[in-house]
């Protein structure tokens, strides 16, 4: 029977399904992980992990007979997929099943940023309505110019769900897509031309701090930055600086540079909406992601195929 190493947490139901197929080792239950890798690493042919936890190259190197890493989440910047592909290890992820949920979360960030519902609820609950009268007006989300940094699976779903607010949609990515929106080759020009910049690219080296001080300044004093991608995509220090000195108007963030650490400066700003990386975090969507994570492993074990390999592994002979 094949042996699998599980990194991070996994729901009991999913664990039960894996136990029927594999001999399961859970990293969180192994008291001396280094010793385990040395003594039993060669028995492990599969790893199950998550986009948050990933698996480090140092560990992969010690799993001599590793064939597959199945990661729960569409973003896999915590796994060096090129390193894996070079060693013939297939990496899979969970695209598409979370598009709708992440798009919903983005719409909520967009709405909260414009209509300030968090502020308004606190205004009511703290008794200010009774004491001070009606809450101040907020900005309308309608008819905005929205620039999308990234127009992939989730980006397209966000753009589609935004349509009820009658936006003009612009987008930037490395190549144009077959979508009815205006393509910008240059991110800074798009930032200057839009009122809201929504980040929905992968994380990792290629997008690291793509949204820097120059881009944030171009977005401007009435501009809104929404980051639902990865904390690494935005220069967080520059974000704080431009919000503090008024060069940027508003921000709505689901992701941060060093999670779960969120700088106090951001926490105390009234023009900022903050969520603890819950883009896809509903029971329904997480169940679908868990199912796809397991199905990749089971399909590979039974038939040598996987359902959703990452692009870096598409050319591996095995799949
Ligand atoms: P996708 O279909 O691969 O789309 C990625 C988009 O980003 C594409 O339009 C791509 O176009 C663009 N892109 C990639 N590298 C770029 C670069 N260097 N410069 C400009 N554009 C670039 O991925 P997806 O399924 O939409 O997911 C996107 C990301 O969302 C994930 O990787 C993950 O990090 C994040 N995410 C976050 C949450 C959350 O909970 N907050 C949940 C799910 C996903 P080109 O290749 O043409 O550049």
């Amino acid at each position: 029977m094949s042996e699998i190493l599980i990194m991070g947490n996994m729901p009991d139901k999913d664990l039960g399904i894996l136990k029927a197929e594999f001999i399961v080792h859970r990293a969180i239950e192994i008291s001396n992980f280094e010793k385990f890798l040395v003594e039993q690493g060669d028995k492990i042919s599969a790893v199950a992990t998550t986009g948050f936890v990933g698996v480090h190259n140092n560990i992969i190197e010690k799993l001599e007979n590793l064939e597959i890493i199945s990661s729960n989440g569409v973003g896999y910047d915590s796994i060096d997929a090129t390193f894996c592909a070079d060693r013939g290890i297939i990496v899979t992820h969970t695209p598409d099943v979370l598009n709708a949920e992440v798009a919903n979360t983005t719409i909520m960030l967009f709405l909260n940023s414009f209509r300030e519902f968090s502020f308004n609820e606190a205004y009511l609950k703290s008794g200010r309505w009774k004491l001070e009268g009606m809450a101040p007006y907020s900005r309308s989300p309608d008819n905005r110019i929205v620039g999308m940094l990234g127009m992939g699976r989730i980006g397209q779903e966000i753009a589609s769900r935004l349509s009820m607010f009658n936006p003009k949609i612009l987008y930037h990515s490395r190549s144009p897509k077959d979508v009815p929106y205006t393509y910008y080759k240059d991110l800074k020009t798009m930032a200057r031309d839009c009122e809201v910049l929504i980040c929905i690219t992968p994380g990792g080296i290629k997008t690291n701090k793509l949204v820097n001080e120059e881009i944030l300044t171009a977005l401007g004093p009435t501009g809104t930055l929404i980051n639902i991608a990865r904390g690494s995509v935005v220069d967080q220090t520059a974000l704080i600086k431009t919000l503090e000195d008024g060069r940027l108007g508003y921000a709505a963030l689901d992701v941060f540079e060093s999670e779960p650490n969120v700088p106090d400066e951001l926490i105390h700003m009234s023009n900022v909406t903050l969520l603890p990386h819950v883009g896809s975090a509903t029971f329904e969507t997480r169940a679908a992601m868990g199912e796809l994570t397991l199905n990749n492993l089971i399909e590979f074990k039974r038939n040598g195929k996987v359902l959703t390999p990452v692009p870096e592994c598409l050319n591996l002979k095995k799949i």
Side-chain angles (χ1 to χ4, degrees), residues 1-5 15-25 40 42-46 65 67 297-298 301-302:
M1 201 161 172
S2 309
E3 300 198 19
I4 189 168
L5 175 64
L15 207 53
I17 294 170
L18 277 189
K19 280 182 177 165
E21 296 278 340
F22 297 88
I23 295 169
V24 169
H25 304 270
Q40 301 195 54
D42 61 343
K43 294 188 200 146
I44 304 294
S45 60
N65 296 309
E67 293 183 289
L297 289 162
I298 292 167
K301 180 174 172 255
R302 292 183 186 167

Side-chain angles (χ1 to χ4, degrees), residues 30-42 62:
I30 298 169
S31 55
N32 188 336
F33 193 60
E34 278 307 314
K35 187 162 172 264
F36 169 83
L37 290 176
V38 173
E39 290 176 1
Q40 301 195 54
D42 61 343
K62 290 174 186 146

Side-chain angles (χ1 to χ4, degrees), residues 161-223:
R161 285 176 191 231
L162 273 174
S163 65
M164 73 176 90
F165 304 107
N166 194 35
K168 178 177 183 201
I169 295 185
L170 325 174
Y171 74 101
H172 167 76
S173 49
R174 289 166 302 182
S175 60
K177 312 294 171 207
D178 184 17
V179 290
Y181 312 120
T182 308
Y183 178 67
Y184 276 68
K185 205 171 166 40
D186 180 52
L187 175 58
K188 188 176 165 192
T189 312
M190 184 177 83
R192 202 180 287 143
D193 286 356
C194 71
E195 301 176 87
V196 183
L197 178 62
I198 300 180
C199 306
I200 185 65
T201 61
I205 303 166
K206 289 180 185 155
T207 56
N208 191 46
K209 295 189 174 45
L210 212 55
V211 178
N212 56 23
E213 191 165 344
E214 207 182 2
I215 302 296
L216 296 166
T217 307
L219 190 52
T222 57

Side-chain angles (χ1 to χ4, degrees), residues 52 74-77 95-96 98-99 102 149-155 172-177 200-203 206-207 210 228-230 254-255 277-280 286:
F52 294 107
V74 66
Y76 55 95
D77 41 305
D96 289 318
L98 41 53
N99 294 354
V102 181
L149 169 55
M151 190 45 87
R153 291 169 292 242
I154 302 174
H172 167 76
S173 49
R174 289 166 302 182
S175 60
K177 312 294 171 207
I200 185 65
T201 61
K206 289 180 185 155
T207 56
L210 212 55
I228 187 87
R230 284 286 183 264
D254 184 47
V255 287
H277 202 150
V278 290
S280 65
R286 286 293 166 86

Side-chain angles (χ1 to χ4, degrees), residues 48-199:
T49 188
T50 70
F52 294 107
V53 176
V55 50
H56 201 274
N57 287 353
N58 292 341
I59 298 177
I60 295 170
E61 272 174 336
K62 290 174 186 146
L63 305 176
E64 286 165 33
N65 296 309
L66 184 62
E67 293 183 289
I68 178 169
I69 298 172
S70 180
S71 181
N72 185 329
V74 66
Y76 55 95
D77 41 305
S78 54
I79 302 167
D80 187 341
T82 306
F83 178 86
C84 292
D86 288 347
R87 281 158 183 75
I89 300 163
I90 297 166
V91 179
T92 64
H93 64 154
T94 63
D96 289 318
V97 294
L98 41 53
N99 294 354
E101 212 66 73
V102 181
N104 283 343
T105 308
T106 312
I107 300 296
M108 291 174 200
L109 285 171
F110 174 79
L111 285 178
N112 198 55
S113 196
F114 279 91
R115 294 304 319 277
E116 301 182 29
F117 291 134
S118 301
F119 166 83
N120 280 306
E121 190 182 20
Y123 190 86
L124 180 154
K125 288 187 173 175
S126 67
R128 287 181 68 188
W129 187 13
K130 271 189 190 162
L131 287 171
E132 299 174 38
M134 298 302 287
Y137 295 157
S138 58
R139 303 172 302 146
S140 172
D142 283 345
N143 307 310
R144 298 291 170 180
I145 304 172
V146 178
M148 308 272 310
L149 169 55
M151 190 45 87
R153 291 169 292 242
I154 302 174
Q156 290 179 38
E157 191 61 38
I158 294 170
S160 152
R161 285 176 191 231
L162 273 174
S163 65
M164 73 176 90
F165 304 107
N166 194 35
K168 178 177 183 201
I169 295 185
L170 325 174
Y171 74 101
H172 167 76
S173 49
R174 289 166 302 182
S175 60
K177 312 294 171 207
D178 184 17
V179 290
Y181 312 120
T182 308
Y183 178 67
Y184 276 68
K185 205 171 166 40
D186 180 52
L187 175 58
K188 188 176 165 192
T189 312
M190 184 177 83
R192 202 180 287 143
D193 286 356
C194 71
E195 301 176 87
V196 183
L197 178 62
I198 300 180
C199 306

